[in-house]
Amino acid sequence: MVGLLNVGSLVLGIIAWILPVVSLMRTTKHWAAISIMSLSACAISLILQIYYNYHLVQIEDWTALMDTMWGVVVAATVLLIGTLLLNTISLIVYRRNIY
């Protein structure tokens, strides 16, 4: 059951990137709602990783923490920067279309 935290985190991370890309490919009136859903998926994805690390601390699996923390930090940083960048691009494109 705990292994699903990583799977859920990966799926939500992919969703966080797909939503603004789909929003950019189609003209929609709901671009703000899509951006909010994308940022929410990113936040939930990151919190699932925090829960997984908390689980590793609870079972005192220090080697797993030491082995995976660098990858988790890099992946979380890439996910956050990518999501913010895609949503910023979406905001700029739709602001230009409004005015």
Side-chain angles (χ1 to χ4, degrees):
M1 187 69 141
V2 175
L4 292 177
L5 291 172
N6 286 330
V7 174
S9 179
L10 180 65
V11 169
L12 286 168
I14 292 170
I15 289 171
W17 281 6
I18 288 176
L19 286 174
V21 170
V22 168
S23 175
L24 286 169
M25 290 174 29
R26 301 181 345 175
T27 54
T28 178
K29 296 177 185 176
H30 307 293
W31 64 270
I34 291 173
S35 289
I36 291 170
M37 288 188 295
S38 171
L39 292 170
S40 298
C42 178
I44 295 168
S45 174
L46 293 174
I47 199 73
L48 288 177
Q49 280 303 308
I50 292 170
Y51 281 136
Y52 183 70
N53 285 337
Y54 177 71
H55 167 72
L56 292 178
V57 169
Q58 289 295 313
I59 63 171
E60 298 180 0
D61 193 354
W62 308 118
T63 55
L65 274 171
M66 290 187 293
D67 289 345
T68 61
M69 262 333 276
W70 176 247
V72 170
V73 168
V74 170
T77 303
V78 169
L79 174 65
L80 183 61
I81 290 172
T83 302
L84 291 174
L85 186 66
L86 286 170
N87 282 297
T88 302
I89 291 168
S90 177
L91 174 68
I92 291 168
V93 167
Y94 281 104
R95 276 205 106 148
R96 285 187 185 162
N97 290 341
I98 290 173
Y99 297 116

